[in-house]
Amino acid sequence: MTGDPASTLYDYADSISLDAQFHLVDTISGTDLNQTKIIDLCESAAASATCAIGDGATTSELKLLQLLDRNDTIRGDPLLDASEIEGNGAGSGVTVSHANKVEIVARSVAILEEGQTLDELAANVTAETEQKITQLRENTKLQGNLAFTSLVMFPPRPPPSSPPRPPPSPPPPTPPPSLPPSPPPPSPPPPSPPPP
């Protein structure tokens, strides 16, 4: 597909409901490779390009991924050359190769049906996505072997619902205020003396 517009890939992906992004892959080897500087060089080399470093990168080898825009042309040469990387202090003893590889990142969203397990859902979505990518390769000018890597992510589960709390128990009744003890009954008056 070298020299073809990237829109060919995006248009076909849209026609089969495949939510995909397409990246051109350059492999860079050398010593003390500086990922941040290499990404900056990539983004300045291709106007408004979005670049990233692939998984498994080290300071001696990395995959440089350039996200293709619909308006981009699929190139057949490396985006950066070794002298440019070395001249900007992004590594030494650098070699760059471009094997005309396209990395496809596809995203799928599915809803768990009643009675279906998460593992079954993940397997179904993965198989459907792989089938669509195979169809994309067969119906565009992409050639070569496909290698699939799946990353399945589920949203966090809500915490289990806790049983409703019983209402707080009312405070124990307060006893009535105690009364002071009753005064003793008055003693009878002393007997009056007999008259004289």
Side-chain angles (χ1 to χ4, degrees):
M1 291 194 69
T2 301
D4 287 353
S7 59
T8 305
L9 298 174
Y10 283 103
D11 290 345
Y12 192 83
D14 290 345
S15 76
I16 57 172
S17 302
L18 178 65
D19 179 11
Q21 293 180 328
F22 300 92
H23 303 260
L24 292 180
V25 182
D26 291 345
T27 302
I28 301 174
S29 303
T31 305
D32 298 326
L33 298 176
N34 184 312
Q35 295 182 21
T36 305
K37 287 183 179 179
I38 290 172
I39 288 176
D40 289 345
L41 289 170
C42 175
E43 293 184 344
S44 61
S48 71
T50 301
C51 299
I53 302 296
D55 294 336
T58 67
T59 55
S60 59
E61 184 171 285
L62 57 83
K63 277 193 320 184
L64 178 63
L65 307 176
Q66 176 201 352
L67 174 62
L68 287 173
D69 182 81
R70 282 182 181 272
N71 301 320
D72 286 335
T73 298
I74 298 173
R75 57 184 167 79
D77 298 313
L79 183 63
L80 303 174
D81 60 40
S83 60
E84 188 178 4
I85 294 170
E86 291 177 354
N88 284 278
S92 58
V94 174
T95 58
V96 183
S97 64
H98 178 75
N100 290 322
K101 286 186 180 178
V102 175
E103 186 165 300
I104 303 168
V105 177
R107 292 179 178 82
S108 297
V109 177
I111 297 173
L112 186 67
E113 301 291 338
E114 187 174 346
Q116 190 179 34
T117 67
L118 290 175
D119 288 340
E120 290 170 340
L121 176 65
N124 291 344
V125 170
T126 299
E128 182 181 321
T129 303
E130 289 180 4
Q131 181 183 10
K132 287 181 177 181
I133 291 173
T134 301
Q135 187 179 345
L136 172 81
R137 183 200 54 189
E138 291 171 354
N139 291 283
T140 61
K141 294 181 183 178
L142 287 177
Q143 298 173 351
N145 298 324
L146 295 173
F148 295 103
T149 303
S150 297
L151 174 62
V152 179
M153 295 183 293
F154 297 108
R157 296 182 184 193
S161 56
S162 49
R165 287 186 176 186
S169 51
T174 53
S178 56
L179 298 172
S182 310
S187 28
S192 33

